Amino acid sequence: MKKSILLLSAALLGCAPLVRAQDYHLSAPDGKTTVDIRAKGSLQLSVQHNGSAVVPGLRLAMELGDGTALNGESKVRKTQKQSVKETIQAPVAIKNSSISNEYNELRVQYRDHYAITFRVYNDAVAYRFETDFPDSITVKNETCDLQVPAGSEAFFQWADLAFNSYEHLYDKAPLDSLTASRNTQLPLLLNAPGGQKILFTESDLRDYPGLYFTGQGGQTLHGVFPPAVKTERKNDPSDGGWDRNFYPGSTYDYIARTAGKRSFPWRIIALADNDARLLNNEIVYKLGAPSRLQDVSWIKPGQVAWDWWNHWNVTGVDFRAGVNTDTYKYYIDFAARHRIPYIIMDEGWYKLGNILERTPDVDMKAITDYGRQKGVGVILWCVWRTLDEQMEPAMQLFAQWGVKGVKVDFMNRDDQAVVNFYWRCAEAAARHHMLVDFHGAHKPAGILRTYPNVINFEGVAGLENDKWTDKLATPQMAVTLPYIRMFAGPMDYTPGAMRNAQQRDFAAINDNPMSLGTRCQQLAMYVVFDAPLQMLADNPTAYENEKESLDFITRVPTTWDQTIPLDGKVGEYVAMARRKGNTYFIGAMTNWTARDITLDLSFLPAGNHRMVLFRDGVNADRNGTDYKREERSVTRNDKLTVHLAPGGGWAARIE
């Protein structure tokens, strides 16, 4: 990673042993966002954006197990203020290859072994605690209580603190719906009455539990955390999920036991004047700790042919399809023909509970050798706890086979112990030059910058849900995710269904699944959804029968030089342009409401450009597979009127 850093100013505001001023003011580089900080007596801040109080009050504190309170009662020893303007060159360019990182910062250092750092960006405010105790500490609790403007509404995802897959519907409701009996996960997006968008999340989450919010039915969000786990319920191998679902049994009365000298997770308040501005905000990545990897040349993003969603349901072959060597060689042949760099071998290749023991029909060395000959890498699925218990021998075995990465599943918790697993896994995989795709995972929270081999996260109600329900992976969800879940980082939604249905025709069929919405919505997902490791969820036979769609999909990059939000409204529609080199892509999607939108092509360079587009067919409102492929010449002066069918989409490649 190359960075160019320009420190605009670095001024000590108080070098004397004590600083008398207890209230501080900090502004964004563009001056539109300001923060007032009360650092003595009761730690509080307020945030104003364009003259409006978007966060009237935020109370912060940390309580340690020995009774020590980090709450501003201590003496302020010194303060430091600096302005930073730098460019981050991302080794895995999720949205943009060059990321502008400009902010003003205030660090308030207290006499009693702690400090708080505040940063103000043009589109976000962030703060974090830092401690400097000589020994380890117990964090009993952290206070993060936010007041928001009266009349705000939120997009809640109700969640269980103890066991949470992060795969929930969004419930758009008044803020007072958040009561003491409910918890909502992050990211949390609010619509303020003045039209501002306020999004809360976190970054640099390590050796600490994830943050949630609960409430009292008013205008205050109360931060809560999963407690540290003492024991887990005993798993019975005769029960389903015995190798993967580890529910907490008893817990401690604290949230973390950790090093005394450390920095804690960043708490983030992101701001946007309209919905579309949320689509290109990279504050979570910017606040992640810098990469720990010296050599990142081996990290290769790309697309991957996936087996599990389509249930290995290939046809027209002379072997019995399933979890066996012949089937995976078939997937490798398909991937090689269409320049897809990876295949995934999902559940079934090893004996559950023991990664080191393969199932009888799988010759792993033969499969990986065949993939190497064809230029296709193999990524292996596994359950997190089994991998954790066998980490080093498993990684050594994978390296011996030539495996390129792991898809690690079913963590379903973000208490301190399980958060630490993410970091152990990322580090071990990096040592063996392997990619990591976390499934059954919490939201991304900065680790993608620190370990860029962590190339994707699930933590989303993705296409797999269409195998068993029509309630989750819907067009409504598809045009909500980019503004909220995708704000935190990339998401393994696993698009690519070639059987597409409107609501009245949809049926949840596990072994031969379909998607809700149109074919063109599936194509548009490859442009709109961030996913450096991007799945092709359907089976090779289905794609070979739909060559036009397959050709478009396999030409879409999985990393980008530039992201250009065009238009959108949370839960209604989204339109986005992307650039890779000299090629541009556009994706647009709608919920179940048909609509016409206008795409302004002024982002294009001067001159004539060839566009290949896919639009919903005239009968797509009846048959989700109906589409039209067209070619035309366009310039940057064009404005295109695009019709989206119910659950529809529109996608284009411009060269």
Side-chain angles (χ1 to χ4, degrees):
M1 179 186 296
K2 295 181 180 178
K3 296 166 67 176
S4 89
I5 302 177
L6 173 64
L7 291 182
L8 297 180
S9 65
L12 290 179
L13 297 186
C15 296
L18 297 179
V19 175
R20 296 186 178 183
Q22 307 301 327
D23 295 336
Y24 306 97
H25 183 81
L26 199 59
S27 297
D30 66 4
K32 295 180 180 179
T33 300
T34 59
V35 178
D36 291 309
I37 301 159
R38 172 160 293 179
K40 178 64 178 172
S42 174
L43 287 171
Q44 297 182 46
L45 64 84
S46 60
V47 181
Q48 298 76 38
H49 179 68
N50 286 336
S52 297
V54 291
V55 176
L58 188 159
R59 188 167 65 90
L60 54 148
M62 187 174 286
E63 179 187 358
L64 304 187
D66 63 0
T68 300
L70 315 184
N71 60 3
E73 292 294 338
S74 175
K75 299 285 188 180
V76 174
R77 187 162 66 87
K78 69 176 180 180
T79 61
Q80 291 174 292
K81 206 172 189 181
Q82 68 171 353
S83 296
V84 171
K85 184 176 183 180
E86 66 180 6
T87 299
I88 301 170
Q89 301 295 336
V92 177
I94 299 167
K95 294 180 185 290
N96 302 281
S97 56
S98 295
I99 302 171
S100 174
N101 190 33
E102 184 178 5
Y103 58 86
N104 292 326
E105 178 182 284
L106 169 69
R107 186 174 187 269
V108 182
Q109 185 174 342
Y110 293 85
R111 191 169 62 181
D112 294 341
H113 300 288
Y114 73 98
I116 306 171
T117 298
F118 303 88
R119 287 185 184 175
V120 186
Y121 298 75
N122 291 339
D123 55 9
V125 173
Y127 73 88
R128 75 185 320 171
F129 280 91
E130 301 167 28
T131 55
D132 189 23
F133 293 95
D135 301 314
S136 62
I137 58 174
T138 298
V139 180
K140 191 172 182 66
N141 198 18
E142 179 185 342
T143 299
C144 179
D145 290 349
L146 298 105
Q147 274 187 298
V148 299
S152 297
E153 61 179 5
F155 292 83
F156 296 112
Q157 284 187 293
W158 309 118
D160 186 338
L161 282 183
F163 200 76
N164 178 20
S165 68
Y166 271 77
E167 300 178 25
H168 310 295
L169 285 171
Y170 292 91
D171 181 12
K172 185 179 179 182
L175 193 70
D176 59 14
S177 302
L178 186 62
T179 62
S181 62
R182 302 177 109 175
N183 303 308
T184 186
Q185 67 188 36
L186 302 183
L188 175 64
L189 176 64
L190 272 65
N191 289 333
Q196 296 95 345
K197 312 299 171 184
I198 311 167
L199 186 143
F200 303 101
T201 194
E202 59 185 338
S203 188
D204 201 18
L205 174 64
R206 52 185 169 81
D207 197 26
Y208 206 73
L211 170 65
Y212 296 73
F213 282 113
T214 189
Q216 300 294 330
Q219 300 301 312
T220 299
L221 302 169
H222 175 62
V224 290
F225 301 85
V229 173
K230 183 186 297 184
T231 63
E232 294 172 336
R233 300 182 204 169
K234 185 176 180 181
N235 282 8
D236 187 338
S238 65
D239 293 337
W242 65 272
D243 69 319
R244 60 197 64 181
N245 295 334
F246 294 91
Y247 295 91
S250 61
T251 58
Y252 293 100
D253 65 350
Y254 57 82
I255 62 174
R257 180 77 179 164
T258 188
K261 185 179 180 62
R262 63 163 295 179
S263 55
F264 288 83
W266 287 103
R267 308 298 172 212
I268 298 171
I269 306 166
L271 306 169
D273 294 328
N274 58 64
D275 298 48
R277 288 186 177 273
L278 295 167
L279 299 172
N280 202 25
N281 187 315
E282 297 193 80
I283 186 65
V284 175
Y285 185 90
K286 289 188 280 192
L287 289 171
S291 176
R292 296 182 181 180
L293 307 185
Q294 296 299 313
D295 175 22
V296 295
S297 62
W298 56 271
I299 300 173
K300 305 292 186 186
Q303 295 182 342
V304 53
W306 184 32
D307 55 351
W308 183 85
W309 189 80
N310 58 74
H311 202 70
W312 307 269
N313 202 0
V314 299
T315 58
V317 297
D318 56 4
F319 57 84
R320 185 68 175 172
V323 183
N324 57 53
T325 302
D326 285 338
T327 299
Y328 287 115
K329 286 185 175 181
Y330 178 85
Y331 276 78
I332 287 170
D333 286 337
F334 164 73
R337 279 195 302 275
H338 299 286
R339 308 175 304 281
I340 300 167
Y342 302 105
I343 70 162
I344 275 186
M345 296 178 61
D346 214 289
E347 183 168 4
W349 70 267
Y350 73 87
K351 182 180 178 182
L352 294 181
N354 184 6
I355 287 175
L356 306 179
E357 183 177 348
R358 274 90 68 212
T359 51
D361 293 333
V362 172
D363 185 335
M364 190 61 67
K365 191 69 167 60
I367 292 168
T368 53
D369 284 350
Y370 190 72
R372 190 176 304 110
Q373 295 168 18
K374 297 280 189 173
V376 176
V378 175
I379 295 172
L380 296 179
W381 174 94
C382 54
V383 170
W384 77 279
R385 178 60 64 84
T386 310
L387 177 63
D388 201 25
E389 292 172 346
Q390 300 180 309
M391 184 75 78
E392 196 52 34
M395 289 293 184
Q396 290 176 2
L397 181 60
F398 295 169
Q400 179 184 325
W401 286 336
V403 168
K404 299 300 183 183
V406 288
K407 174 183 173 182
V408 188
D409 209 349
F410 288 105
M411 287 74 72
N412 289 349
R413 284 166 41 190
D414 54 358
D415 52 83
Q416 181 189 19
V418 179
V419 167
N420 286 347
F421 164 76
Y422 286 83
W423 291 80
R424 282 196 304 276
C425 180
E427 188 275 333
R431 277 191 286 109
H432 293 279
H433 283 195
M434 290 183 200
L435 307 176
V436 182
D437 177 13
F438 284 123
H439 266 235
H442 65 187
K443 83 282 180 192
I447 195 173
L448 294 110
R449 184 179 179 193
T450 315
Y451 283 102
N453 62 307
V454 176
I455 203 163
N456 213 351
F457 269 72
E458 190 186 31
V460 62
L463 192 70
E464 66 177 12
N465 288 278
D466 281 346
K467 288 166 71 75
W468 51 77
T469 180
D470 63 354
K471 299 297 190 292
L472 286 170
T474 65
Q476 176 83 23
M477 179 68 84
V479 296
T480 304
L481 293 169
Y483 303 93
I484 308 177
R485 163 59 185 82
M486 203 169 82
F487 187 98
M491 54 187 195
D492 200 3
Y493 186 90
T494 68
M498 293 294 101
R499 289 168 298 282
N500 320 105
Q502 291 290 343
Q503 282 179 294
R504 65 173 180 269
D505 300 321
F506 178 83
I509 305 171
N510 186 77
D511 295 1
N512 195 24
M514 63 187 73
S515 73
L516 284 155
T518 71
R519 169 71 56 79
C520 287
Q521 180 158 116
Q522 290 292 305
L523 300 184
M525 289 177 180
Y526 284 88
V527 180
V528 174
F529 289 169
D530 293 336
L533 186 71
Q534 180 62 282
M535 304 280 177
L536 278 75
D538 221 322
N539 71 68
T541 307
Y543 288 123
E544 298 282 16
N545 291 333
E546 298 288 348
K547 290 188 182 296
E548 287 184 340
S549 296
L550 177 62
D551 178 69
F552 178 82
I553 289 170
T554 55
R555 293 191 186 206
V556 180
T558 65
T559 58
W560 302 99
D561 292 329
Q562 185 181 13
T563 289
I564 308 162
L566 298 178
D567 197 5
K569 189 172 177 58
V570 180
E572 296 186 18
Y573 69 101
V574 61
M576 183 186 297
R578 310 264 204 174
R579 179 180 63 82
K580 183 76 167 186
N582 295 322
T583 304
Y584 290 80
F585 292 80
I586 303 176
M589 301 187 294
T590 184
N591 57 13
W592 285 122
T593 300
R595 71 182 74 241
D596 292 331
I597 63 173
T598 299
L599 302 178
D600 185 339
L601 303 188
S602 59
F603 58 84
L604 291 173
N608 293 315
H609 306 274
R610 174 177 171 266
M611 172 188 282
V612 177
L613 68 90
F614 288 73
R615 62 175 176 83
D616 291 326
V618 68
N619 295 305
D621 60 335
R622 298 169 55 190
N623 185 336
T625 63
D626 187 33
Y627 74 89
K628 289 287 289 184
R629 178 188 182 278
E630 297 176 357
E631 297 187 26
R632 59 172 294 181
S633 178
V634 295
T635 74
R636 62 181 318 205
N637 298 318
D638 289 330
K639 291 181 172 60
L640 305 182
T641 298
V642 170
H643 177 73
L644 305 174
W650 190 94
R653 183 179 69 252
I654 306 173
E655 298 172 315

